């Protein structure tokens, strides 16, 4: 199978993730969409590692996984603290700060 | 493929980073093992030792130009100048964090973050002298990440540094003691949008890697000379710029800025506004000048447009604000635009004045902003800080010193002569004009004129309006805040009247290797 197929798949996944961040209402789901974007980047990276014949891409994918794990820890802690006060994880309810 | 060899590390060149990260790691251990009573003073001392030590190390390293850690880090004039700036701003921010005299609740930070806001236990803890002392190691890690960000010579290191500086900031903005719901909301917004933006940065990294086969900035530069028109490369660059501009709060990627600046504890806002901007622009300069300096036609129109949008959005929306923290947030967006004006002044063959001008502007903007936010912590009512514009009416009668200092900082932000803001603006506009980008300087002057209106409105309000009978009280600052205000005010004045020495330093430090 041609390498372009993997790149197109990754681009589609990235777009789904980006649109999801913009339209979904639940903070957890928004966060999952960000994770989808990161994983589509991983797919892009390993595909390019194959096409350019270097290992850097595979290595970077590991770094991305580690950073994503750290991000989950911080993100879920913040979302949890909001949820425990408001009993809701909807980003529409988080609306005290505006003009 | 041969065996992987360990890269050689130049510990001398990395000493500023080692100082800060060392202090942060020890801070985590202190948190685990020291008894609660001594934690606060020990953590403050540790954070100060780390940041001040890093500043001294950058001074001693002046003139170093080397690429270390297997080519992943570049320690050069620009990196050291910006690292020193971040270390100073970080040390001053730690002093602001440690202020315990102003608030009757004994600290700006929450006693126990895990207790739900508004619960019975939370109300009990509201006046306790306990503090979530993790804020100091978190801030130190963020400072370390920022310093790493400005020295990264590799897109992967840049990404890791971006996360090391961002993750602690997300947490810090949610740790206010008063108005906890607002603070937590700011943290959620900052986190979700920050993670979104770093995903864009990462996709840009992947595309650049695909186009050039490397993430090393020097390798990208070599590839950009031959295949600068490559669609993948240009697309990747655009996505990288989006990720970085988000951190620098450049319009149109600024939407988080006013909300997060308003919701976060004011000391954290000061830290974010001052130090994050330095770090983000350090990375922008390195990416654009080192990796894409030979193919500058790829980013010049983009940066040109972003500068205009940011200056106008910041200045015009700043007019409509009624909250001082939000107003300063829009001011920060406008200043990001002025900084981009300096970034444009690269000049042919790196000969331009842009690098030095931008670095100088970052220093003076950081110090002035830190002072302005530091003053905001002093003016209070029963509910915490009084940041609504109407509450500042007639403040000069209540506290002439605070009003005079605030007026001075606002005039500096507006760019009035004899303040550092004027010298900074003069430097970045000169860089743009020398590069032939005079329309940008014209837009900059117009935006400065618009922005001057909302700065001066506060000054007029403080001096010429009658004071409300139930107006806010002005707290007496403790030693830490006094030091911060004295240093920032002195720097704003001295760099406005006699900027020569520091400008020369910035010019001699304007070297990028890699």
């Amino acid at each position: 199978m041609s390498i372009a197929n993997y790149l197109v798949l990754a681009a589609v996944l990235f777009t789904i993730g980006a649109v999801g961040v913009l339209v979904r209402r639940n903070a957890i789901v928004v966060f999952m969409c960000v994770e989808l974007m990161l994983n589509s980047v991983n797919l892009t990276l390993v595909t390019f590692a194959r096409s350019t014949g270097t290992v850097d891409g595979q290595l970077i994918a590991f770094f991305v996984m580690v950073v994503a794990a750290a991000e989950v820890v911080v993100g879920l802690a913040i979302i949890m603290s909001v949820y425990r006060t408001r009993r809701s994880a909807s980003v529409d309810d988080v609306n005290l700060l505006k003009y | 493929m041969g065996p992987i060899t360990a890269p050689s590390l130049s510990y001398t060149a990395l000493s500023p980073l080692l100082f800060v990260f060392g202090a942060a790691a020890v801070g985590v251990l202190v948190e685990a093992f020291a008894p609660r009573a001594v934690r606060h003073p020990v953590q403050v001392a540790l954070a100060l030792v780390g940041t001040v030590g890093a500043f001294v190390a950058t001074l001693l390293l002046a003139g170093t130009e080397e690429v270390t850690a297997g080519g992943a880090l570049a320690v050069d004039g620009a990196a050291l100048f910006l690292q020193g700036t971040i270390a100073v701003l970080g040390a001053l921010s730690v002093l602001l964090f440690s202020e315990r005299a102003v608030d009757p609740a004994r600290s700006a930070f929450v006693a126990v973050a895990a207790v739900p806001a508004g619960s019975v236990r939370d109300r009990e803890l509201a006046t306790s002298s306990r503090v979530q002392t993790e804020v100091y190691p978190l801030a130190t890690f963020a400072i370390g990440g920022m310093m790493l960000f400005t020295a990264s010579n590799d897109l992967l290191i840049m990404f890791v540094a971006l996360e090391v500086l961002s993750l602690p900031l997300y947490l810090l903005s949610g740790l206010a003691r008063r108005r906890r719901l607002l603070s937590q909301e700011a943290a959620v917004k900052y986190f979700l949008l920050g993670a979104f933006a770093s995903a864009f940065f990462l996709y840009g990294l992947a595309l650049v890697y695909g186009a050039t086969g490397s993430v090393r900035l020097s390798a990208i530069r070599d590839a950009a000379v031959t295949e600068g028109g490559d669609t993948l490369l240009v697309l990747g660059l655009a996505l990288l710029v989006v990720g970085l501009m988000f951190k620098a709060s450049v319009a149109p990627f600024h939407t988080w800025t006013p909300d997060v600046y308003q919701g976060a504890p004011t000391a954290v806002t000061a830290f974010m506004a001052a130090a994050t901007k330095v770090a983000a622009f350090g990375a922008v300069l390195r990416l654009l000048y080192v990796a894409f300096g030979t193919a500058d036609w790829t980013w010049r129109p983009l940066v040109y447009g972003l500068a205009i949008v940011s200056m106008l959005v910041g200045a015009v929306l700043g007019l409509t604000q009624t909250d001082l923290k939000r107003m300063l947030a829009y001011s920060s967006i406008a200043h990001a635009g002025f900084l981009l004006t300096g970034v444009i002044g690269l000049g042919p063959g790196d000969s331009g004045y842009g690098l030095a001008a931008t670095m100088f502007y970052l220093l003076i903007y950081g110090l002035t902003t830190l002072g302005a936010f530091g003053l905001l912590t002093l003016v209070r009512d029963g509910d915490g800080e009084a940041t609504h514009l109407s509450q500042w009416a007639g403040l000069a009668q209540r506290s002439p010193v605070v009003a005079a200092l605030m007026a001075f900082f606002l005039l500096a932000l507006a760019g009035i002569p004899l303040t550092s803001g004027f010298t900074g603006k003069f430097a970045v506009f000169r860089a743009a004009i020398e590069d032939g980008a005079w329309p940008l300087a014209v837009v900059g002057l117009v935006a400065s004129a618009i922005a001057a209106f909302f700065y001066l409105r506060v000054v007029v309000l403080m001096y010429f309006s009658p004071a409300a009978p139930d107006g806010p009280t002005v707290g007496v600052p403790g030693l830490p805040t006094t030091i911060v205000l004295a240093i920032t005010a002195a720097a704003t004045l001295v760099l406005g009247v006699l900027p020569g020495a520091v400008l020369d330093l910035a010019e001699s430090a304007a070297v990028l290797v890699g």
Side-chain angles (χ1 to χ4, degrees):
Chain A
M1 208 153 64
S2 128
I3 272 185
N5 292 348
Y6 296 99
L7 294 178
V8 171
L9 174 65
V12 170
L13 287 176
F14 188 85
T15 315
I16 292 174
V19 173
V21 171
L22 298 175
V23 302
R24 295 305 295 257
R25 289 282 165 261
N26 187 307
I28 304 276
V29 179
V30 171
F31 188 37
M32 280 163 62
C33 290
V34 171
E35 294 294 313
L36 181 63
M37 292 166 80
L38 294 184
N39 282 317
S40 76
V41 171
N42 281 345
L43 181 58
T44 314
L45 282 168
V46 289
T47 311
F48 279 135
R50 178 73 176 261
S51 73
T52 55
T54 51
V55 287
D56 301 29
Q58 300 178 20
L59 244 154
I60 297 168
F62 280 118
F63 274 87
V64 175
M65 286 177 204
V66 173
V67 168
E71 221 170 49
V72 170
V73 174
V74 169
L76 287 186
I78 293 173
I79 295 172
M80 262 309 286
S81 68
V82 170
Y83 178 78
R84 284 165 69 179
T85 317
R86 299 175 191 243
R87 295 281 144 205
S88 153
S90 168
V91 285
D92 281 352
D93 293 345
V94 190
N95 57 4
L96 295 172
L97 286 167
K98 49 190 168 190
Y99 307 99
Chain B
M1 245 170 282
I4 297 173
T5 49
S8 70
L9 291 171
S10 162
Y11 290 102
T12 339
L14 296 180
S15 55
L17 288 169
L18 295 176
F19 253 108
V20 175
F21 282 123
V26 175
V28 174
L29 291 177
V30 168
E31 207 53 53
F33 294 113
R36 185 173 289 147
V38 301
R39 265 186 228 160
H40 192 269
V42 172
Q43 292 286 23
V44 174
L46 252 180
L48 285 177
V49 167
T51 44
V52 174
F55 175 64
V56 174
T58 55
L59 291 184
L60 295 177
L61 282 171
T64 311
E65 279 178 35
E66 68 175 276
V67 176
T68 181
L73 288 172
V75 181
D76 49 24
L80 288 171
F81 186 90
L82 295 174
Q83 283 185 344
T85 307
I86 292 169
V88 168
L89 296 174
L92 293 175
S93 306
V94 167
L95 283 176
L96 273 187
F97 284 17
S98 70
E99 175 63 62
R100 307 201 71 171
V102 174
D103 194 333
R106 308 272 287 127
S107 175
F109 292 102
V110 67
V112 183
V115 173
S119 63
V120 179
R121 179 85 180 117
D122 187 43
R123 280 195 290 278
E124 280 170 20
L125 286 167
T127 50
S128 95
S129 63
R130 259 177 86 175
V131 181
Q132 193 88 46
T133 40
E134 281 88 350
V135 291
Y136 299 102
L138 282 173
T140 319
F141 270 120
I143 294 166
M146 289 168 185
M147 291 169 59
L148 184 63
F149 206 33
T150 60
S152 47
N153 194 31
D154 186 312
L155 289 180
L156 175 60
I157 300 294
M158 218 179 248
F159 170 67
V160 173
L162 177 72
E163 293 296 326
V164 172
L165 83 88
S166 300
L167 294 179
L169 282 179
Y170 302 149
L171 291 171
L172 283 173
S173 39
L175 291 178
R177 180 174 291 231
R178 294 162 180 278
R179 301 181 183 137
R180 283 189 63 194
L181 284 183
L182 283 185
S183 173
Q184 290 176 348
E185 179 176 329
V188 170
K189 284 185 174 168
Y190 195 17
F191 169 71
L192 288 177
L193 291 173
F196 190 47
S198 39
F200 277 98
F201 181 88
L202 208 53
Y203 200 49
L205 178 155
L207 295 184
V208 169
Y209 169 63
T212 63
S214 175
V215 287
R216 193 61 41 87
L217 297 188
S218 52
I220 296 170
R221 180 182 54 212
D222 297 341
V225 176
T226 50
E227 44 188 325
D230 190 25
T231 322
L232 268 186
L233 189 65
V234 176
L235 201 60
L237 169 68
L239 289 172
L240 288 173
V241 168
V242 169
L244 292 177
M245 292 303 168
F246 173 88
K247 274 290 152 223
S249 60
V250 171
F253 313 109
H254 67 284
T255 41
W256 60 276
T257 314
D259 286 356
V260 175
Y261 278 23
Q262 189 188 358
T266 306
V268 175
T269 311
F271 176 49
M272 283 196 291
T276 314
K277 187 143 307 199
V278 180
F281 270 95
V284 167
L285 287 168
R286 201 167 281 281
L287 177 74
L288 296 183
Y289 284 12
V290 176
F292 292 91
T294 48
D296 60 343
W297 51 269
T298 51
W299 52 265
R300 212 171 264 275
L302 183 69
V303 173
Y304 209 100
L306 287 175
I308 291 176
V309 172
S310 200
M311 286 189 284
L312 291 180
V313 165
V316 172
L317 290 183
L319 291 177
T320 64
Q321 300 306 315
T322 53
D323 183 282
L324 274 165
K325 276 168 101 176
R326 288 186 87 85
M327 193 199 88
L328 286 176
Y330 280 102
S331 144
S332 136
I333 296 164
H335 281 280
F338 297 136
L339 280 159
L340 283 181
T341 319
V343 173
I344 282 284
L346 165 65
D350 294 0
S351 62
Y353 180 57
L355 183 56
T358 313
M359 293 196 313
F360 179 73
Y361 199 109
L362 284 168
L363 173 68
I364 57 130
Y365 169 77
L367 288 168
T368 309
T369 309
L370 210 57
F373 278 112
L375 276 176
L376 285 188
T377 62
L378 298 182
V379 181
R380 325 181 62 90
D381 58 13
D383 193 29
E385 284 146 14
T387 54
H388 198 274
L389 213 50
S390 61
Q391 291 172 298
W392 282 61
L395 195 80
Q397 295 150 34
R398 202 164 274 135
S399 173
V401 179
V402 169
L405 268 180
M406 191 65 186
F408 180 56
F409 285 132
L410 289 174
L411 290 177
L413 288 173
I416 306 291
L418 291 185
T419 63
S420 61
F422 175 75
T423 4
K425 276 206 181 108
F426 186 80
V428 289
F429 289 159
R430 185 185 131 196
I433 291 170
E434 279 181 3
D435 201 63
W438 60 267
L440 213 48
V442 172
V443 177
L445 289 175
V446 172
S448 305
I450 301 172
F453 175 77
F454 64 74
Y455 296 125
L456 292 177
R457 187 174 59 185
V458 181
V459 178
V460 169
L461 204 63
M462 286 191 299
Y463 280 93
F464 303 112
S465 289
D470 56 344
T473 54
V474 178
V476 179
L479 184 63
T481 309
T482 314
I483 296 174
V484 172
L485 292 177
I487 292 179
T488 50
T492 307
L493 181 68
V494 170
L495 293 177
V497 182
L498 297 164
V502 181
L503 262 176
D504 288 345
L505 179 68
E507 268 183 76
S508 64
V511 182
L512 287 167
V513 299

